[in-house]
Amino acid sequence: MTAVETRSVVVERDFPHSPEKLWRALTQPHLMEDWLMKNNFHPVVGHKFNLRGDWGGVLDCEVLTIEPGKTLAYSWDFANENPAFDLKSVVTFTLTPTDTGTHLRVEQAGFRPDQKQAFGGAQHGWQGFLGKLETVVSELD
């Protein structure tokens, strides 16, 4: 069986905040809830957790990579009977210090060609999440 070619959603944004501040918002459950979703996240490789969307959906996740202040990756799986929405993906956050703060690159990889709606939804969704993330980080001490 040949591997199905998958696509990635990549969203990049510059924040006028330190990587440390951004990292807190990406890894502390109460802050994640404010910009992403309700969760039971712990920043430990191998930790399995759920993200619970306002729409009632539950994402099954597992922490894959943690380099404090630099890289965070976790699986982002959504089981659905409809193949167009049955998603197995990986979200990777990469933080790069800049002269004015931090450059954040978010990549969600694993969309199959028949998942155009999920792909479009993720593109739109990450823009919204990062807008909220900006608000959350700006309110941190």
Side-chain angles (χ1 to χ4, degrees):
M1 180 177 151
T2 56
V4 174
E5 192 174 314
T6 59
R7 298 196 296 167
S8 295
V9 168
V10 176
V11 181
E12 302 191 53
R13 188 175 290 208
D14 287 300
F15 289 85
H17 306 287
S18 68
E20 293 72 28
K21 211 175 198 184
L22 208 52
W23 185 256
R24 280 167 52 201
L26 293 175
T27 58
Q28 293 184 4
H30 67 287
L31 296 176
M32 288 171 69
E33 183 172 341
D34 288 344
W35 70 268
L36 187 59
M37 291 178 229
K38 290 190 171 104
N39 66 88
N40 55 336
F41 177 85
H42 290 290
V44 177
V45 171
H47 175 70
K48 290 180 167 52
F49 66 101
N50 295 121
L51 291 171
R52 298 179 181 279
D54 294 338
W55 76 95
V58 177
L59 298 163
D60 297 308
C61 308
E62 180 179 344
V63 180
L64 305 172
T65 309
I66 290 199
E67 285 181 78
K70 291 183 182 167
T71 312
L72 171 66
Y74 45 80
S75 59
W76 176 289
D77 297 344
F78 182 63
N80 194 299
E81 290 172 9
N82 179 342
F85 295 98
D86 185 49
L87 181 64
K88 288 204 177 308
S89 68
V90 172
V91 174
T92 304
F93 299 88
T94 307
L95 291 73
T96 307
T98 63
D99 292 343
T100 55
T102 307
H103 180 79
L104 177 65
R105 181 181 191 273
V106 180
E107 177 175 356
Q108 184 173 3
F111 294 92
R112 295 189 314 273
D114 63 342
Q115 296 183 310
K116 287 183 174 59
Q117 199 170 344
F119 183 81
Q123 283 180 308
H124 178 78
W126 282 111
Q127 294 289 353
F129 288 146
L130 293 190
K132 287 192 207 163
L133 175 62
E134 195 142 9
T135 303
V136 168
V137 176
S138 67
E139 291 168 356
L140 294 177
D141 293 333

